[in-house]
Amino acid sequence: MRVRSAAGVVWGLLVLLGALLTGCQSPSGGVAEDGRLGEPASGTGRTSTVSPAPTRPSGYGAVFLAVGECSSFGTTSFSEVPCMGERAAARVVTRHDGTVRDGPRCPAATDFVLHISEQRPSSDEDGDGAVPQGYACMRNLQPPHPGDPGGGGGPRTIVGDCVYSSGDGQVRETACDGEGEREPEYKVTRAVPKRSGCPDSTALYVRLGGDRPVGCARPL
């Protein structure tokens, strides 16, 4: 009687152990948020996952030649490149849609202007497949900076620039240090709203534009 009783105990323990092991196995469908067992994925033993929706990139490439981004060398043929890359030549100071004639003026320290023709690249500003006509006011990453006062270039003539007479009452900018193709003849010393605001030493009035459109230039 004792032998049979011991065998019954052992058999009961084995049955209990098997039940525990079965209960520890995870169902192939996983567990839903409300505690119910999920359905198994078709053909696999794992639950399916939903990938997050892609987001538009930020920084380089999100907007074509946005403020703070950089272009490669060239004023007629160029591309947007990372500012830390070896191809980077100039950085965007400001950017506007439309034409230079109809849009806002570039800042005084602009070295040159990039004219952006309307295009339809694979990547654009808002995902509609087009980049509108516009222009970007650029500043070189490294010297020289022709847009600086006396630098001899840039899209604007500003106080500190030097000019020479090109005939027919016109003047053109040239470097004040004499390193340009032409020797400087006059230097713009002041910008005023009207000619009457120029000092007596003024020998030439230069059209500057903006809210102080008159440049007072003295001879060198």
Side-chain angles (χ1 to χ4, degrees), residues 29-110:
V31 180
E33 292 181 354
D34 59 0
R36 294 177 299 173
L37 296 183
E39 293 294 331
S42 176
T44 65
R46 296 173 296 179
T47 56
S48 59
T49 58
V50 179
S51 301
T55 57
R56 288 184 61 80
S58 60
Y60 162 64
V63 176
F64 184 67
L65 284 181
V67 174
E69 293 178 350
C70 295
S71 74
S72 60
F73 294 90
T75 57
T76 57
S77 178
F78 58 90
S79 59
E80 182 182 318
V81 295
C83 289
M84 298 302 293
E86 60 182 11
R87 296 180 58 207
R91 189 185 303 272
V92 180
V93 180
T94 59
R95 185 188 186 284
H96 305 284
D97 292 338
T99 63
V100 175
R101 177 179 299 179
D102 300 327
R105 305 173 72 209
C106 285
T110 301

Side-chain angles (χ1 to χ4, degrees), residues 127-150:
D128 64 355
V131 173
Q133 180 184 15
Y135 60 96
C137 308
M138 310 296 295
R139 180 150 176 97
N140 295 329
L141 295 179
Q142 301 293 335
H145 294 290
D148 285 350

